[in-house]
Amino acid sequence: MSGNRGVLYQGRGEVEVADISYPEFVLRDGPGVNPANVGREVPHGAILKVVATNICGSDQHMVRGRTTAPEGLVLGHEITGEVVEKGPGVEFIEVGDLVSVPFNIACGRCVNCKARRTEICLNVNPDRPGSAYGYVDMGGWVGGQAQFVLVPYADWNLLKFPDREQALEKILDLTMLSDIFPTGYHGCVTAGVGVGSSVYVAGAGPVGLAAAASAQLLGAAVVIVGDLNDERLAQARGFGCETINISAGDPGDQIEELLGTPAVDCAVDAVGFEAHGTGDKASEEAPASVLNTAMDVTKAGGSIGIPGLYVTGDPGAADDAAKEGSLSIRFGLGWSKSHAFFTGQCPVMKYHRQLMEAILNDRVQIAKAVNAVAIPLEDAPEGYQSFDKGAASKYVLDPNGYLSTG
């Protein structure tokens, strides 16, 4: 049996890299593991040697203490790896395959999976529909910011790359298939982005930048990205987006200066519940601000894609209502404008194969768009700190030396 190292959440603002158990084909007890899942056998699973695993803004919510995540939780839901062992129930995936792992854990058997709603699988989390690796209240499946990780239902969940050498050449792009590229794309698809669209993307973090690149891939005429961080806005301008700094004034006024009209065809919320206000209130946390802005700037009859994370439990929220996920959104405004709202996790498997082909055929450079930066696994704490301070980078951890980290 090999050893294993992983990134652990150790309380507000603290992560550490430590020795963890090597995966087995059974889910053992541990921090965050649902008691009903303890002892669950996984003959349909595969053990991966992790090629790349990314730090996500959703991880940062936990590390900031903005969820009920327990100390000792192994983090990481964005995983790309090489199969090194497979269970007796795995028929088609083979040892040596290089694969992308959707962050949604799905059984492939339930009514939701059969309807391509893998983000709300009914059989992997005893508490509620939907599950993910290394995430609070998601069933307790061990995270992938590690050297090795177990993936259940391998034949269903794993996306095999068709050519190993080609995949390794584009691995910084392909590692975005596990989450942020499909998530940004999903936000745009549900918002109705198409040829000639004008799109407002709230947030210039990695998901927002992935959404902006996705909007371009879908044929948008103009993509406007809003954020407070000038470095991240510069990253968006670097691949052809218009930008607004929401601290500089009302987003609608700034959009009107760019377009000649204060309304866009559709909007994407890539920020979520740790949003800030606009204008002179930009320094204040205002969890409903992005949703209200999206309704304000989206035309009547438009749609708003909401891949940004919202939670039911936020112990760090400014008021009691927000601690339970209750936000003061201007629903009457959205109703009066006949807006459509699309929420929830992205069903990664709905999109990842097509997006893989777009990457392999040079139709998109997603790693460049989000400024992917590879760092060693042992540098994960520094990567978390830098990302938390607003670095315009997507940090990709290299647990096993597959990437050129210098």
Side-chain angles (χ1 to χ4, degrees):
M1 180 179 292
S2 302
N4 198 10
R5 301 269 291 168
V7 181
L8 279 64
Y9 169 64
Q10 296 290 35
R12 181 174 296 185
E14 183 179 353
V15 299
E16 71 168 348
V17 183
D19 292 334
I20 62 173
S21 298
Y22 186 84
E24 304 174 70
F25 291 104
V26 61
L27 191 55
R28 302 295 187 187
D29 197 8
V33 179
N34 190 298
N37 261 350
V38 174
R40 182 171 182 165
E41 296 185 357
V42 191
H44 43 68
I47 295 172
L48 307 187
K49 185 176 184 181
V50 177
V51 173
T53 177
N54 316 328
I55 296 174
C56 181
S58 297
D59 299 320
Q60 284 286 17
H61 292 308
M62 290 188 289
V63 173
R64 292 187 188 118
R66 298 301 295 269
T67 72
T68 56
E71 293 184 10
L73 184 73
V74 181
L75 299 169
H77 55 271
E78 300 188 12
I79 308 163
T80 306
E82 179 179 2
V83 177
V84 293
E85 297 183 53
K86 67 176 190 174
V90 178
E91 186 174 0
F92 304 110
I93 290 293
E94 299 293 346
V95 170
D97 286 347
L98 208 61
V99 295
S100 178
V101 184
F103 79 88
N104 323 107
I105 302 172
C107 71
R109 296 153 166 81
C110 72
V111 63
N112 287 344
C113 283
K114 290 180 178 181
R116 303 178 77 193
R117 297 299 304 274
T118 54
E119 83 281 17
I120 46 173
C121 173
L122 299 174
N123 290 328
V124 286
N125 183 355
D127 279 346
R128 61 177 60 88
S131 188
Y133 305 89
Y135 210 83
V136 59
D137 295 332
M138 286 293 185
W141 299 91
V142 178
Q145 288 177 12
Q147 292 175 303
F148 298 91
V149 67
L150 171 70
V151 175
Y153 303 103
D155 281 326
W156 170 251
N157 282 305
L158 297 179
L159 173 66
K160 178 183 174 180
F161 300 138
D163 183 273
R164 180 184 179 88
E165 290 187 9
Q166 183 189 29
L168 287 173
E169 289 175 359
K170 294 181 177 290
I171 200 66
L172 285 180
D173 293 285
L174 293 171
T175 193
M176 305 305 162
L177 291 173
S178 58
D179 183 354
I180 68 165
F181 192 13
T183 292
Y185 189 86
H186 177 65
C188 290
V189 169
T190 55
V193 177
V195 174
S197 296
S198 58
V199 187
Y200 175 61
V201 177
V207 171
L209 294 172
S214 297
Q216 293 175 337
L217 188 63
L218 287 164
V222 58
V223 181
I224 303 170
V225 180
D227 202 288
L228 294 163
N229 185 315
D230 284 330
E231 185 180 0
R232 289 179 171 179
L233 291 173
Q235 181 68 25
R237 289 193 296 275
F239 60 95
C241 300
E242 301 287 349
T243 62
I244 61 172
N245 190 315
I246 62 171
S247 67
D250 179 78
D253 292 341
Q254 296 187 66
I255 288 172
E256 186 169 19
E257 290 181 12
L258 290 170
L259 299 181
T261 172
V264 292
D265 294 322
C266 45
V268 177
D269 172 4
V271 178
F273 72 103
E274 286 194 70
H276 282 241
T278 60
D280 58 5
K281 295 185 178 180
S283 62
E284 302 174 9
E285 189 167 303
S289 178
V290 170
L291 294 172
N292 288 330
T293 295
M295 288 186 280
D296 188 46
V297 304
T298 301
K299 72 178 185 180
S303 297
I304 300 169
I306 310 173
L309 176 67
Y310 289 86
V311 296
T312 57
D314 176 10
D319 59 70
D320 289 340
K323 288 179 181 179
E324 297 181 348
S326 295
L327 309 180
S328 297
I329 65 169
R330 296 183 63 195
F331 189 74
L333 175 62
W335 189 93
S336 69
K337 296 176 76 172
S338 294
H339 284 156
F341 301 84
F342 295 89
T343 67
Q345 295 179 10
C346 165
V348 171
M349 292 177 67
K350 187 174 182 179
Y351 307 108
H352 66 174
R353 186 174 300 276
Q354 301 97 306
L355 295 178
M356 175 186 73
E357 293 295 344
I359 289 169
L360 295 178
N361 288 283
D362 298 317
R363 300 298 298 170
V364 63
Q365 294 180 305
I366 191 65
K368 183 178 180 180
V370 302
N371 191 28
V373 176
I375 62 175
L377 180 72
E378 300 296 327
D379 289 352
E382 290 78 11
Y384 270 94
Q385 290 177 8
S386 179
F387 188 35
D388 190 47
K389 293 176 181 177
S393 301
K394 175 67 172 177
Y395 289 108
V396 178
L397 302 179
D398 180 15
N400 290 297
Y402 285 86
L403 312 178
S404 298
T405 56

